[in-house]
Amino acid sequence: MKFLAITLIVHRPDPVTGVLGPTHERFREVLDNAVLAEELGFDGFGVGERHERPFLSSAPTVVLSHVAALTRRIRLFTAVTTLSLLDPVRAYEDYATLDHLSEGRLDLIIGKGNGTAQRELFHVTPEDQWDRNAESYEVFRRLWRQDRVTADTRFRPPLKDAEAWPRPYQRPVRVWHGSATSEESVDLAARYGDPLFSANVTHPVEPYAELVRHYRERWEHYGHDPAAIAVGAGSAGLLVARTSQEALTAYRPVFESNLAFQRSAGLPVVFETLEDFAARSSALIGSPEQVIDKVHRYHERLGHTVLHVTADAGGLPAARHRASLELFQSAVAPALRRDIPDPPFPWAPVLPADAARTPAWAWTSPPP
C-alpha cells in the first residue's frame, strides 16, 4: 500500500484561539508539511484545487512547483484538478511544465469539482459541468499524447492541428479520476482505463463502496484487464496516539470546530458526535492497532491500494500533529505495506520506454 499526505489549503481561524493567521504563513505551513511528508517516508504529497473560501488552493501548479524544488523523491499529486472549470490547453501547459520541473514526479487526480461559488466564478452550470469535465479531459489527454490535435470542442474554441508546449516529460502522465457521489466520474475513469480515487470522506463507507463496485463493473465492460485496476481512497481525519482515549481527547477540539463550521455554513451534518465520527467515518483516530484494523475493514469494501491522510494539523498543536504522523509511519504504515499490495504499476515516472508498451487505443480515443 502507498500513502499520500493531502492538503486543500483550508484557511480558517484556529479552533482553540479563534485567530486567523496570515495567508503567507498558511502557505509556509503547506511547504513545511510537504518537506516533512518526504522526510517521514510518505509516497506522495497532494494539493487540492478550490476557487472559493475558505480555501487558498486556487493555483496548485504554483504550489506544487515550489514543493518540487524543496523535495527530491516524493510524488506530487493534484487533489483534484477541476477540469470542468479550466481551459484544457492552458491546464496542459501548466502541468506539462510542472512535470518537467519535478522530473516526472507528477500524478493528476482530476474531477469536476464541488462548490457553487467557484462554479459561478467560472460561469459553469450544474447542467453542463459533467460535459465540460469529460470534454476537457479528452482534449487534455490528447494534448499529452499527440504532437498536433484537432478537436471540435463545445466549451472552448475548436482546435485545428494545434500544438501545445512544452512537450511532456512523462509519456503519458498518470491521471486518476476523483470520485465522490456520481457514476459519471467512475464511468469516465473506467472508459479510459484510468485509476480511481474515492473521496471517502463525508459519509460512511457504503456509498463509496457502491461507486467502486460500479467502477469495477464498467472497467470490465470496456474490456480492460481486472488485474490492472487501481483504487485510492481518502480518510476524513487523522490522529494516531498510544491509546484510543488519548487520541479522542486530543482530536475533540478539531471535531467540534469542524462541526460548528458545517452548521454555520449550512452544510449537512452526518456525524453528530466525535465518537460516532471515529467509529463510522473513514477518520483514522485511535491507537495504531485500531487504525490498522479500520484500514483493513475499508480495504475489504473498497479494495484500495493507495490511502491519503491529511497533511495539515487542522487545529491540532503542531507537535501533536507531527507525533501523529510519525507514529502513523512507524507503527501503522509498515503493517499496511506488508498486508495490502501496491497499485499494479511502478511508483515512478512514466517514460517513453514504458509508453511503447501502452495499447494503441490508449493514445487516441477510448474503447467504444
Side-chain angles (χ1 to χ4, degrees):
M1 180 170 252
K2 299 294 187 182
F3 301 98
L4 316 181
I6 297 288
T7 178
L8 299 181
I9 321 186
V10 176
H11 192 218
R12 285 166 41 196
D14 183 277
V16 176
T17 66
V19 174
L20 181 67
T23 296
H24 74 276
E25 288 187 8
R26 183 68 185 93
F27 280 121
R28 173 50 57 187
E29 288 176 1
V30 171
L31 301 176
D32 290 345
N33 288 340
V35 172
L36 176 62
E38 179 166 88
E39 175 188 322
L40 294 180
F42 279 89
D43 303 290
F45 185 82
V47 175
E49 180 181 343
R50 296 293 290 267
H51 300 269
E52 59 187 344
R53 69 172 66 189
F55 304 97
L56 301 178
S57 50
S58 59
T61 51
V62 177
V63 178
L64 286 171
S65 290
H66 200 148
V67 171
L70 296 173
T71 58
R72 291 292 178 269
R73 174 194 58 80
I74 200 165
R75 289 197 66 79
L76 309 176
F77 280 73
T78 63
V80 301
T81 296
T82 53
L83 279 181
S84 69
L85 308 179
L86 306 177
D87 182 309
V89 177
R90 191 71 185 97
Y92 164 80
E93 293 171 338
D94 285 346
Y95 282 109
T97 301
L98 170 57
D99 198 37
H100 277 279
L101 293 175
S102 67
E103 298 187 336
R105 287 189 281 144
L106 176 64
D107 273 51
L108 274 78
I109 307 176
I110 68 160
K112 74 170 181 62
N114 296 309
T116 300
Q118 65 177 10
R119 188 170 59 235
E120 292 176 348
L121 184 65
F122 287 89
H123 297 279
V124 173
T125 70
E127 292 74 25
D128 69 20
Q129 197 165 13
W130 281 114
D131 290 340
R132 286 176 178 272
N133 184 64
E135 178 182 287
S136 290
Y137 181 51
E138 168 69 17
V139 172
F140 182 93
R141 180 184 177 89
R142 291 177 61 192
L143 286 167
W144 208 284
R145 289 162 169 77
Q146 301 171 19
D147 291 338
R148 296 177 181 272
V149 171
T150 296
D152 186 16
T153 50
R154 291 174 54 201
F155 300 108
R156 59 145 289 131
L159 300 173
K160 184 173 177 58
D161 205 24
E163 296 179 289
W165 296 92
R167 298 312 300 148
Y169 184 88
Q170 293 189 91
R171 301 293 183 97
V173 69
R174 182 173 296 112
V175 177
W176 303 68
H177 294 247
S179 164
T181 60
S182 70
E183 293 185 349
E184 286 91 339
S185 58
V186 301
D187 189 80
L188 187 67
R191 184 184 180 202
Y192 283 102
D194 293 332
L196 184 75
F197 217 106
S198 174
N200 191 41
V201 168
T202 307
H203 301 282
V205 70
E206 287 76 15
Y208 305 113
E210 176 57 28
L211 285 172
V212 171
R213 184 203 62 78
H214 182 70
Y215 168 67
R216 294 177 184 277
E217 179 182 281
R218 299 302 291 170
W219 179 279
E220 294 195 36
H221 168 81
Y222 288 118
H224 306 309
D225 180 0
I229 284 178
V231 175
S235 58
L238 176 71
L239 205 159
V240 189
R242 292 172 300 171
T243 67
S244 171
Q245 192 55 51
E246 180 184 347
L248 288 171
T249 299
Y251 199 82
R252 193 171 300 279
V254 176
F255 173 80
E256 291 176 349
S257 172
N258 290 338
L259 183 63
F261 174 78
Q262 290 172 349
R263 288 175 170 157
S264 66
L267 300 173
V269 174
V270 179
F271 306 102
E272 295 279 355
T273 67
L274 173 60
E275 287 70 20
D276 188 37
F277 178 68
R280 293 197 305 121
S281 82
S282 61
L284 304 176
I285 302 171
S287 67
E289 294 77 13
Q290 288 173 310
V291 171
I292 292 168
D293 179 68
K294 175 174 269 193
V295 174
H296 273 291
R297 285 187 281 115
Y298 268 73
H299 176 71
E300 290 174 2
R301 302 295 304 275
L302 302 175
H304 59 306
T305 54
V306 180
L307 172 70
H308 88 51
V309 302
T310 179
D312 299 320
L316 292 171
R320 166 66 77 174
H321 178 57
R322 178 174 182 130
S324 173
L325 291 175
E326 290 175 341
L327 190 55
F328 179 89
Q329 281 292 356
S330 64
V332 175
L336 296 175
R337 291 186 194 277
R338 182 189 65 237
D339 297 341
I340 298 175
D342 285 343
F345 43 71
W347 200 258
V350 182
L351 299 178
D354 304 304
R357 296 190 291 270
T358 302
W361 63 261
W363 288 85
T364 53
S365 300

